[in-house]
Amino acid sequence: MISPYTIHISDERLSDIRAKVDAYDWSQLPDAGGWSAGVGIEDLKRLAAYWRDSYDWRAVERRLNELPNFTADVEGERLHFVHVKGDGSKPPILLLHGWPGSYVEFEQLLEPLAADGHDVIVPSLPGFAFSTPLTRPIGPRRAAAIVHGLMRQLFGSARYVIQGGDWGHAIAAWAAHDRPEAVLGIHINMMTVRAEDAVPTSDEEKSFAAKRATIAAQESAYFHEQETRPQTLGVAMADSPVGAAGWIFEKFGKWADLPTTADGDPDIWSKFSEEELLTNIMLYVATESFVTATWIYYGCRLEKSLTLPPGARIQVPTGVAAFPDPVFLPSPRSFVEKTYNVVHWTEMPRGGHFAALKEPELMLADLRTFIATVMEARSRG
């Protein structure tokens, strides 16, 4: 069943968050030196001060409610989504975010894609934001089944296009693997999900794998924690808005394509505003979904869905927007082609991990080009 949805966080919840932000004891948080050992304390203090003194959730809530929000029950799970309608002349598009992002990353793409003729669907992933409560931890393969169920409720047997980064790309990969008859094409701006036996062979691929491994040794502690001990992490974060903010804020500082300050720290304020960051954080904190959002990592481990089966090859046409990403380095095309049917590839000049949010025009143009490529190939038969 699909129902219109109005976002409303209770006054009591907002007051509780404000009181905890105000009461946070900064004296217990010594500074190890900028961003050298994790989140930059001075930058986090700036964010918290804005949260306490200036941030207006009600104004944000009104803006978000201007979008056509809905909820649906899909196989026993509650799914929140935005649905902006086109004229039906183009296939539906499913836009999928990841962690620690949210559906608002795609806000600037909605009207342009709908004007092109697409119905545009942007869910909050299961367990994220308003897609709660979640009955149990699920991984990207199960998430792909759930969002497919949503698309079937909305569009019947019509085939659709998926765009995804971060977990969105993993869900897109599993959707294309498990239901190729339903998916016209997938457009991804990250590639870590691959066939289990797809291994680097060329010098370029081996060099890339070595660089990624070096970075992972420094940057993947959060992943290991969330895939193995999400509940223990949740105990700390569920009752600490500043703690949750610091955990998420660090990823925006480290993963975005940011200039650095004179002392080598990410210059986060050059690309993000306090309101932009806090709105994304509040979609975890105010909705009480921080814990269930981490479950996708644990669910992935249970599913063993970080890799596709040996010998798997996704035949669905695939487009890759290779945005520069300081942590999740874009893979060489030759390596991606060991698993995916790549029909479109773009080396992006800038963008980082949160590409749809920070470079919506680049993302939009590339997605349009990919869709045109797929539709032209389809028309030729």
Side-chain angles (χ1 to χ4, degrees):
M1 180 178 175
I2 294 172
S3 306
Y5 180 70
T6 300
I7 298 166
H8 179 73
I9 303 299
S10 71
D11 289 339
E12 291 78 11
R13 179 64 181 155
L14 295 177
S15 295
D16 183 54
I17 292 168
R18 179 182 290 271
K20 287 174 179 175
V21 172
D22 190 48
Y24 189 82
D25 185 359
W26 293 96
S27 70
Q28 295 190 52
L29 193 64
D31 191 341
W35 288 72
S36 62
V39 68
I41 302 307
E42 291 306 313
D43 286 324
L44 183 59
K45 284 182 177 179
R46 171 174 166 173
L47 188 70
Y50 186 91
W51 203 353
R52 183 188 64 233
D53 300 332
S54 304
Y55 184 70
D56 185 351
W57 169 257
R58 289 290 180 228
V60 171
E61 196 174 65
R62 287 191 294 272
R63 176 175 64 80
L64 295 180
N65 277 323
E66 290 174 1
L67 298 172
N69 291 275
F70 300 88
T71 58
D73 178 70
V74 186
E75 299 183 18
E77 302 294 353
R78 179 177 187 253
L79 205 62
H80 160 259
F81 63 99
V82 169
H83 181 183
V84 180
K85 293 185 177 181
D87 63 11
S89 62
K90 300 282 181 65
I93 298 180
L94 179 63
L95 303 177
L96 300 175
H97 68 85
W99 185 94
S102 65
Y103 75 99
V104 298
E105 290 179 48
F106 296 106
E107 202 169 351
Q108 299 304 312
L109 275 63
L110 302 177
E111 291 299 336
L113 288 171
D116 290 348
H118 303 279
D119 274 48
V120 188
I121 307 300
V122 192
S124 297
L125 295 187
F128 287 68
F130 309 109
S131 291
T132 52
L134 190 64
T135 60
R136 59 187 173 89
I138 66 170
R141 191 172 195 176
R142 173 69 178 146
I146 290 172
V147 296
H148 172 72
L150 173 65
M151 297 301 278
R152 280 290 174 259
Q153 286 191 36
L154 292 169
F155 305 110
S157 60
R159 300 176 77 190
Y160 52 92
V161 174
I162 306 177
Q163 200 293 317
D166 197 90
W167 282 115
H169 105 277
I171 295 168
W174 278 108
H177 178 273
D178 289 347
R179 297 168 185 83
E181 74 288 347
V183 182
L184 272 174
I186 61 172
H187 180 271
I188 57 177
N189 53 290
M190 177 173 161
M191 198 291 286
T192 57
V193 173
R194 56 172 177 78
E196 188 178 334
D197 56 351
V199 296
T201 52
S202 70
D203 288 344
E204 180 189 19
E205 292 168 3
K206 289 176 181 177
S207 175
F208 153 76
K211 288 177 184 176
R212 179 173 276 188
T214 298
I215 293 171
Q218 180 68 26
E219 300 291 345
S220 63
Y222 82 96
F223 192 106
H224 192 59
E225 182 73 16
Q226 292 181 177
E227 75 166 345
T228 60
R229 298 292 184 267
Q231 290 304 105
T232 308
L233 176 68
V235 171
M237 300 303 182
D239 196 45
S240 175
V242 173
W247 191 258
I248 292 170
F249 183 49
E250 182 208 296
K251 301 312 173 193
F252 279 84
K254 288 294 188 179
W255 295 359
D257 185 20
L258 299 173
T260 56
T261 63
D263 54 9
D265 288 341
D267 186 5
I268 195 165
W269 309 113
S270 68
K271 293 287 183 73
F272 294 102
S273 69
E274 290 93 342
E275 179 168 312
E276 191 173 36
L277 291 163
L278 284 170
T279 294
N280 188 77
I281 289 165
M282 282 288 279
L283 289 172
Y284 290 82
V285 172
T287 61
E288 303 177 20
S289 64
F290 183 96
V291 176
T292 54
T294 65
W295 281 3
I296 193 168
Y297 292 81
Y298 185 62
C300 181
R301 185 168 179 264
L302 296 178
E303 287 182 343
K304 298 182 172 62
S305 54
L306 200 57
T307 55
L308 302 172
R313 178 166 168 77
I314 290 173
Q315 300 296 339
V316 169
T318 301
V320 178
F323 286 92
D325 188 321
V327 172
F328 301 94
L329 302 178
S331 306
R333 178 168 183 166
S334 61
F335 187 63
V336 178
E337 288 177 336
K338 292 180 177 182
T339 302
Y340 297 82
N341 174 23
V342 178
V343 301
H344 170 84
W345 184 282
T346 305
E347 296 286 344
M348 290 296 188
R350 59 189 180 278
H353 195 73
F354 306 98
L357 177 66
K358 297 317 299 174
E359 297 293 343
E361 292 181 1
L362 288 177
M363 178 66 82
L364 177 63
D366 200 66
L367 181 55
R368 280 171 163 164
T369 300
F370 168 69
I371 293 169
T373 300
V374 171
M375 298 305 291
E376 182 181 352
R378 193 180 182 212
S379 68
R380 292 198 305 265

